[in-house]
Amino acid sequence: MDSQIKKIHQQLVAKEITCTALVQEKLELLKQNKYNSVNSLLDTLALELAAKVDAKIANGEEIGLLEGIPFGIKDVYMVQGTYTTASSELLKNYKSAYTATAIQKLLNAGAIPLVKENCDSFGHGSSSENTIFGAVKNAVNPELVGGGSSGGSAVNVALDYTVFSIGGDTGGSIRQPAGYNHIYGLKPTYGRVSRFGLMAYASSTDCVGPLAKSIEDIRIVLNVMSGKDPKDQTTITSTEITEEAVKFSTVKTIGYFKNFVDSEAIDSKIKADFLASIEKIKAKGIEVKELDFFQSDILVSTYYTLAMAETASNLSRLDGTNYGNRIEGENLIDSYAVTRSENFSEETKRRIVGGNQVLSQGFSDEIYLKGLAVRDQISENFSKDFQEVDVILSPVTPSTPPKIGDSLKDPLAMYLSDAYTVGFSLGQLPTLTVPQGTITGLQITAAKNNDELVLQFANFLKDIL
């Protein structure tokens, strides 16, 4: 699909549509939606901003490319004066006091926020069922999960309720729902986009990224959000990715992890389609190499060891003292306990308990420090791989989307559904889901800070698969 951003921009400039009418149309779709993708509408703000865009056009003023473009925001980002609930009971009435850097950059560019989108509570899940707003339904088949944790964001893009959405990816939370709903979803290089104003899940792998229906729209949004931020010391300087730079692929060699494909856990159809995609790539003269990597169960256990430890630490501040739904107990300690016990979901409590265990005396050396050591080995493995290949191709998931309700019965199965995404998160690498190649798409990964190459190869695949 061609760029929706550019198409709408041209329609606005040519006065074929008004921004107000466009925003009203999208808001109406969001109000009527039956996919549980909406936590709250930003209708008053959106219509105010739309009127300003229309006034500029009427006065003959030039508008920017993103000016007047409607977008959605996963409900873990601060937007001043709006509800930011993280789909949780604890924060269901919390209003942001400030705006996240990435969102502010989009607002500065004139993009119009329409909606805070449903997600797994605090990003804890791979299906967007762990939410007080009801399970997000898949855009392709409403009986299936929308994917997680950025499920509402993916579904809204897939159904054209938003032109693009901003999700959050810690271990696959943009890429997996993008694959489930047949759209593009990018986890940029860690640090390329500021995390300031994103509710932290696991700070060492949290990434801000876009979901959209075209590679060009991903590129446009990424450029606007990227850059160093004095409020986030992990951010890095990045160069703009031009439209010309991603039109022609310079990739000569790709790799794939043989153990991913040979795993007993992979669905037979996904395996067959992935291997067929590899053959089509070979037919275009690109060299393909089989690579050795850590077993998927090691990746999953390492990721969840570190992620649970970090989320236990990050969520320790949520005790009802400064914000959130406080429940009074018999004394202060009892108030903390009952507030957290009653307001956190079962999945969030599971991750906090697991995280506190691996950080506790007697376990931290045995488990947590070993997890850090394995992450270093994973990074070293990637460095060696990218000396041999330009990009790595992999399935996004080992299996197809489960039916709504199934993941809640089997948390371990939900964790294992992240088997092909978490390794790239631990490596802090740029990774893009493309809606081709298998029923849940393909994942393209490049070396750190090589986001441009990922988009290049995605354009190449779009034409051959």
Side-chain angles (χ1 to χ4, degrees):
M1 175 179 283
D2 294 330
S3 169
Q4 287 185 293
I5 291 172
K6 288 184 174 178
K7 180 183 176 183
I8 292 170
H9 174 73
Q10 290 164 359
Q11 289 174 326
L12 289 170
V13 170
K15 298 182 180 178
E16 294 172 10
I17 59 172
T18 67
C19 190
T20 299
L22 173 65
V23 166
Q24 284 176 330
E25 177 192 340
K26 298 292 187 187
L27 286 171
E28 198 56 41
L29 289 171
L30 287 162
K31 284 176 187 174
Q32 294 175 4
N33 105 83
K34 297 179 181 178
Y35 290 79
N36 292 336
S37 60
V38 175
N39 285 2
S40 60
L41 290 177
L42 310 179
D43 44 359
T44 302
L45 173 62
L47 289 168
E48 285 175 1
L49 294 174
K52 290 178 181 178
V53 174
D54 286 333
K56 283 185 73 172
I57 295 169
N59 291 333
E61 297 177 49
E62 190 175 329
I63 63 169
L65 186 57
L66 274 181
E67 212 159 341
I69 305 298
F71 74 104
I73 304 168
K74 183 179 181 179
D75 200 5
V76 290
Y77 289 96
M78 304 297 169
V79 179
Q80 189 173 22
T82 71
Y83 287 106
T84 303
T85 72
S87 296
S88 71
E89 187 71 27
L90 184 68
L91 297 176
K92 64 181 179 182
N93 296 314
Y94 175 70
K95 281 193 173 182
S96 309
Y98 62 96
T99 299
T101 297
I103 305 303
Q104 188 61 57
K105 286 187 173 186
L106 292 168
L107 296 176
N108 293 346
I112 296 181
L114 298 182
V115 57
K116 288 291 193 73
E117 298 166 319
N118 200 358
C119 57
D120 283 302
S121 181
F122 296 107
H124 298 160
S126 305
S127 63
S128 291
E129 295 172 281
N130 176 35
T131 161
I132 63 170
F133 295 101
V136 176
K137 298 177 183 178
N138 190 288
V140 181
N141 180 351
E143 293 183 0
L144 307 179
V145 301
S149 60
S150 309
S153 302
V155 167
N156 284 340
V157 169
L159 294 172
D160 292 318
Y161 295 163
T162 60
V163 176
F164 66 91
S165 285
I166 303 305
D169 192 307
T170 306
S173 292
I174 287 174
R175 291 163 285 156
Q176 186 247 46
Y180 279 4
N181 292 281
H182 303 173
I183 60 171
Y184 291 92
L186 175 69
K187 183 195 84 65
T189 296
Y190 179 82
R192 185 183 181 100
V193 181
S194 172
R195 291 181 293 112
F196 180 76
L198 164 66
M199 284 191 200
Y201 165 16
S203 305
S204 68
T205 57
D206 284 345
C207 287
V208 178
L211 299 103
K213 280 191 165 181
S214 74
I215 300 161
E216 179 62 3
D217 288 348
I218 294 282
R219 183 193 70 83
I220 292 167
V221 176
L222 178 66
N223 278 336
V224 171
M225 294 193 299
S226 297
K228 279 193 75 67
D229 178 12
K231 297 172 182 173
D232 177 1
Q233 295 303 306
T234 64
T235 50
I236 57 175
T237 301
S238 57
T239 55
E240 182 179 351
I241 301 173
T242 66
E243 184 177 358
E244 286 301 314
V246 300
K247 279 186 176 177
F248 304 103
S249 175
T250 58
V251 172
K252 292 182 172 59
T253 308
I254 72 158
Y256 73 95
F257 297 126
K258 191 170 186 297
N259 58 302
F260 278 14
V261 179
D262 290 344
S263 167
E264 293 180 4
I266 192 170
D267 177 89
S268 58
K269 183 74 165 60
I270 290 177
K271 177 178 179 176
D273 289 347
F274 177 77
L275 292 175
S277 297
I278 291 292
E279 292 304 314
K280 289 178 183 177
I281 292 167
K282 281 183 183 176
K284 291 295 179 179
I286 291 177
E287 185 181 359
V288 177
K289 291 186 177 181
E290 292 181 353
L291 302 173
D292 292 321
F293 200 51
F294 291 77
Q295 293 297 321
S296 55
D297 57 345
I298 294 175
L299 295 173
V300 171
S301 59
T302 301
Y303 167 76
Y304 276 103
T305 293
L306 301 179
M308 286 183 179
E310 291 184 37
T311 204
S313 176
N314 282 326
L315 293 187
S316 63
R317 72 195 78 173
L318 296 181
D319 54 22
T321 302
N322 295 313
Y323 33 69
N325 183 31
R326 182 181 177 90
I327 301 173
E328 295 294 341
E330 294 180 5
N331 52 52
L332 185 60
I333 292 176
D334 191 45
S335 293
Y336 290 163
V338 71
T339 293
R340 288 166 67 83
S341 180
E342 293 298 319
N343 284 308
F344 282 140
S345 69
E346 290 303 310
E347 183 57 38
T348 295
K349 286 187 278 191
R350 185 179 293 118
R351 296 186 187 208
I352 290 172
V353 169
N356 283 329
Q357 181 177 8
V358 303
L359 290 173
S360 63
Q361 189 174 2
F363 285 96
S364 59
D365 288 358
E366 192 67 27
I367 303 175
Y368 180 67
L369 294 182
K370 281 187 177 178
L372 291 176
V374 174
R375 180 166 69 180
D376 289 342
Q377 292 173 29
I378 288 168
S379 294
E380 289 173 16
N381 203 104
F382 279 129
S383 296
K384 292 176 184 175
D385 287 338
F386 287 118
Q387 290 173 4
E388 292 188 42
V389 302
D390 299 316
V391 298
I392 294 171
L393 199 66
S394 64
V396 179
T397 62
S399 53
T400 56
K403 285 188 175 181
I404 290 174
D406 287 357
S407 295
L408 297 178
K409 299 172 192 170
D410 191 352
L412 180 59
M414 180 182 70
Y415 299 160
L416 291 173
S417 72
D418 297 334
Y420 297 164
T421 54
V422 293
F424 304 120
S425 295
L426 293 168
Q428 301 185 335
L429 305 174
T431 308
L432 174 73
T433 287
V434 299
Q436 291 106 24
T438 79
I439 194 169
T440 56
L442 295 173
Q443 205 174 189
I444 305 168
T445 305
K448 277 186 183 180
N449 305 319
N450 226 337
D451 305 62
E452 182 179 293
L453 195 62
V454 166
L455 298 180
Q456 270 187 21
F457 196 64
N459 260 324
F460 170 77
L461 290 186
K462 175 169 63 74
D463 296 329
I464 70 164
L465 294 183

